[in-house]
Amino acid sequence: MPFPPPPRTLTGPRRRSLLASAAGAALLVGCSTDGDDTENTADSPSAAERARARAATDSEALLRHYDAVLAAHPTLAERLEPLRAEVVRHATAFGGSGSTPSRTATAAPSASASASAVPATASDALAGLAAAERSLADKRAKALLDVPGELARLLASVAAAGAGHAYLLTEDAK
């Protein structure tokens, strides 16, 4: 003779499995991209395209800042070239050209104009670059909340890299 089931046996899904399912669904919805951006604005660029173009422009401006510092303080080249190369990759990841005129080819006209904006001491120039990196990282961290999935992940990654650059630029100053 089989034993009868315990008196409080519930049929159907348990509370834990329902909560886990709801949490999983919320994560999936949060990570999905919005397809509605491009459908409503056929003639104008979508918010994501504008954000991507703005991020590329910001990276290229930061690249020009690196070039100005390198033109004014060539002794920093060994330290700054790897970070500059990362900024070039960031600009191209956002769809920018990722290039500025080479520092050696334009040393006379543009370097003299930009060098005036670069602090006279190398430590002040590094601090200025670190501030620019930090400011741009903060701007990107705020912007990623308003863009869809893949672009938000790219902005987050580049913002984290910028924060790392800011740290590396100031680590000797401490």
Side-chain angles (χ1 to χ4, degrees):
M1 174 151 142
F3 291 108
R8 292 186 42 104
T9 302
L10 300 175
T11 60
R14 301 247 190 291
R15 186 181 332 171
R16 286 184 189 159
S17 61
L18 284 175
L19 289 174
S21 302
L27 285 174
L28 287 175
V29 169
C31 292
S32 68
T33 60
D34 256 346
D36 297 338
D37 285 322
T38 54
E39 292 172 7
N40 294 336
T41 57
D43 294 336
S44 65
S46 71
E49 290 169 348
R50 288 189 307 272
R52 184 179 291 275
R54 192 169 36 252
T57 301
D58 290 343
S59 289
E60 289 170 347
L62 183 61
L63 185 59
R64 286 189 297 277
H65 193 164
Y66 269 91
D67 288 344
V69 169
L70 285 166
H73 302 284
T75 58
L76 296 174
E78 184 178 340
R79 183 173 182 181
L80 295 182
E81 282 298 335
L83 300 177
R84 182 189 180 281
E86 286 296 314
V87 173
V88 168
R89 282 191 278 281
H90 297 162
T92 55
F94 288 120
S97 66
S99 66
T100 59
S102 80
R103 287 180 290 112
T104 55
T106 61
S110 70
S112 61
S114 336
S116 64
V118 175
T121 66
S123 61
D124 288 343
L126 289 174
L129 264 176
E133 285 274 15
R134 199 174 301 110
S135 172
L136 187 53
D138 291 344
K139 180 179 176 181
R140 287 179 171 156
K142 289 176 186 164
L144 70 87
L145 299 173
D146 300 325
V147 295
E150 217 31 64
L151 181 56
R153 287 185 279 280
L154 179 60
L155 279 170
S157 175
V158 173
H165 290 181
Y167 171 77
L168 290 172
L169 290 166
T170 58
E171 75 176 330
D172 287 343
K174 295 178 182 177

